[in-house]
Amino acid sequence: MSKLFNVAIVGVAGAVGQEMLRVLEERNFPVGELRLLDSERSVGKTENFKGEEIDIQVLTKNSFNEIDIALFSAGVERSLEFCPHAITAGAVCVDNSDAWRMDPEVPLVVPEVNSDDVSQYLNKKVIASPGCSTTQMVLPLKALQNVSRIKRIVVSTYQAVSGSGQSAVDELRVQSGELLNGRPAHNKIYPHQIAFNCLPHIDSFVDNGYTEEEMRMVHETRKILGDPEIRISSTAVRVPVFYGHSESLNVETEEKISAAQAKELFDVFPGLQVIDGPDSSLYPMPVDAAGQDEILVGRIREDLSLDKGLNFWVAADNLRKGAATNAIQISELLVAKYL
Ligand SMILES: NC(=O)c1ccc[n+]([C@@H]2O[C@H](COP(=O)([O-])OP(=O)(O)OC[C@H]3O[C@@H](n4cnc5c(N)ncnc54)[C@H](OP(=O)(O)O)[C@@H]3O)[C@@H](O)[C@H]2O)c1
């Protein structure tokens, strides 16, 4: 029998945690014991995994005894506080939060792009998974980078509310109902109404006028693609979509890449699915991306204002490839090659 690994999911009741459960089961990850950890609010609840009901336990510093892999998705503060306890207990942490992504000793991994970086897990026993908006753009960018250096990227995002967690999904649902019934919309998670609206504001603003989300896309992309010189400008927008982020990308390369060549490169790149049939109104949409792991890419065309520029559009499930699936693919590399 092949080796089994004891796995903990930290934040299992949250939007990403719930998807982790599904993805572990779907991909038949070699789980021995599965330990489900969350806040006190989830005590008394159970989750079904492969037909077995498992109690959710409160996360404490003693939660990680005998755990091999700890999958963290309970926010930055929990990762900073509890990853060290998991590591002391002997686990490797795969972290979905922003806690370790830019730590030079911590690998930041999207398996289709930089799987070899997993080997650096020994530095701190932590591997970081990028933000969802970065993950979905680095696959097509890597496909282009394989044939030409990328000079500059301009990206605008159209991000679903599930990117802000389960409570934001509830806020969009409730607000939509309130407004459709002629009642005022109340907002708690976002600074303004999100139903039937767009907010060019994701995370806090920083001194240069960008937001933390926009700056994360700059720094994380450079780290994953291994090129600190790429010039990147990002605008991150929250839209009233439940699941699935979309992005418009404008990319300038050193060598000319035609639209036809880009399409061929995307077609054969693992994890990408080209949907590009303008004559039949075929292009990536979040409703199609939701629930699947592939990153959909389309509207591939040459930039009319640049000699060596391309435009394209990507859509992906932020909870799956943007978080849970990516973390579990990292864990698959860990168990296949390193543990
Ligand atoms: N959503 C995405 O698309 C996405 C993509 C990539 C990365 N991420 C990252 O993944 C992490 C989780 O995001 P999410 O969207 O799943 O958020 P979420 O839906 O709010 O889930 C977070 C979970 O963590 C739990 N939690 C909070 N404090 C805790 C504590 N002290 N001990 C144990 N559990 C605690 C929460 O429980 P309570 O509700 O009881 O507080 C909740 O169940 C974040 O760091 C986020 O940045 C999210």
Side-chain angles (χ1 to χ4, degrees):
M1 201 173 114
S2 58
K3 194 174 167 195
L4 298 179
F5 297 85
N6 296 338
V7 176
I9 304 180
V10 181
V12 69
V16 174
Q18 288 288 292
E19 213 56 48
M20 298 259 217
L21 262 180
R22 273 190 280 276
V23 175
L24 278 177
E25 182 160 347
E26 278 170 27
R27 295 176 76 96
N28 207 16
F29 191 86
V31 178
E33 184 197 340
L34 181 61
R35 203 167 299 164
L36 304 182
L37 304 166
D38 209 280
S39 71
E40 288 195 353
R41 215 157 61 91
S42 295
V43 171
K45 293 185 188 158
T46 61
E47 292 290 348
N48 189 288
F49 183 72
K50 294 190 171 176
E52 192 192 334
E53 288 299 319
I54 304 177
D55 291 330
I56 300 183
Q57 305 172 25
V58 179
L59 171 67
T60 72
K61 61 184 169 59
N62 301 317
S63 294
F64 299 97
N65 201 18
E66 309 270 294
I67 291 295
D68 299 302
I69 298 177
L71 299 168
F72 272 79
S73 64
V76 172
E77 292 79 11
R78 265 66 61 192
S79 294
L80 288 173
E81 182 176 352
F82 291 99
C83 285
H85 295 298
I87 293 160
T88 304
V92 179
C93 297
V94 180
D95 186 33
N96 265 302
S97 84
D98 189 28
W100 314 97
R101 289 177 191 153
M102 293 316 297
D103 183 325
E105 290 190 74
V106 171
L108 179 64
V109 176
V110 175
E112 294 85 347
V113 177
N114 61 338
S115 59
D116 287 350
D117 289 356
V118 170
S119 62
Q120 297 163 30
Y121 83 97
L122 278 171
N123 295 348
K124 285 204 167 166
K125 299 279 186 79
V126 179
I127 303 174
S129 185
C132 38
S133 39
T134 303
T135 301
Q136 73 181 69
M137 73 173 188
V138 292
L139 274 82
L141 290 173
K142 179 67 179 174
L144 300 178
Q145 196 195 36
N146 283 341
V147 297
S148 166
R149 195 180 158 260
I150 292 171
K151 287 171 74 175
R152 178 169 181 260
I153 300 160
V154 180
V155 55
S156 300
T157 72
Y158 304 67
Q159 294 180 229
V161 293
S162 53
S164 317
Q166 188 53 45
S167 48
V169 172
D170 297 338
E171 180 148 309
L172 174 58
R173 184 175 45 77
V174 171
Q175 277 185 6
S176 303
E178 283 171 340
L179 291 164
L180 287 170
N181 284 290
R183 294 192 293 266
H186 300 285
N187 50 294
K188 276 196 289 198
I189 304 297
Y190 297 116
H192 304 280
Q193 166 191 328
I194 181 63
F196 312 106
N197 201 10
C198 293
L199 310 179
H201 174 185
I202 297 186
D203 220 322
S204 316
F205 286 95
V206 294
D207 288 346
N208 63 5
Y210 287 77
T211 63
E212 285 183 7
E213 176 79 349
E214 290 161 351
M215 293 314 297
R216 269 197 291 272
M217 292 176 74
V218 174
H219 299 307
E220 292 177 13
T221 301
R222 287 176 174 159
K223 180 169 175 175
I224 296 163
L225 294 179
D227 185 348
E229 306 296 319
I230 301 179
R231 299 162 82 181
I232 306 172
S233 184
S234 164
T235 303
V237 182
R238 188 74 64 193
V239 297
V241 165
F242 285 104
Y243 300 101
H245 291 354
S246 305
E247 293 176 355
S248 162
L249 280 122
N250 176 260
V251 181
E252 186 182 0
T253 49
E254 230 158 54
E255 311 299 325
K256 167 90 180 160
I257 301 177
S258 70
Q261 194 187 354
K263 196 171 169 186
E264 281 171 20
L265 293 168
F266 295 155
D267 249 330
V268 296
F269 196 85
L272 289 182
Q273 185 188 346
V274 174
I275 301 184
D276 200 19
D279 295 344
S280 329
S281 304
L282 285 176
Y283 28 74
M285 294 183 292
V287 287
D288 295 326
Q292 65 158 297
D293 289 324
E294 282 183 311
I295 287 164
L296 311 182
V297 54
R299 299 291 325 277
I300 304 157
R301 60 212 192 276
E302 283 155 39
D303 184 337
L304 297 177
S305 66
L306 270 179
D307 287 342
K308 295 167 187 168
L310 285 168
N311 288 312
F312 51 93
W313 172 263
V314 288
D317 188 322
N318 51 296
L319 296 177
R320 289 185 67 99
K321 183 58 187 167
T325 303
N326 198 63
I328 289 161
Q329 286 176 310
I330 291 171
S331 307
E332 287 170 350
L333 288 170
L334 263 178
V335 303
K337 285 181 136 182
Y338 303 101
L339 296 187

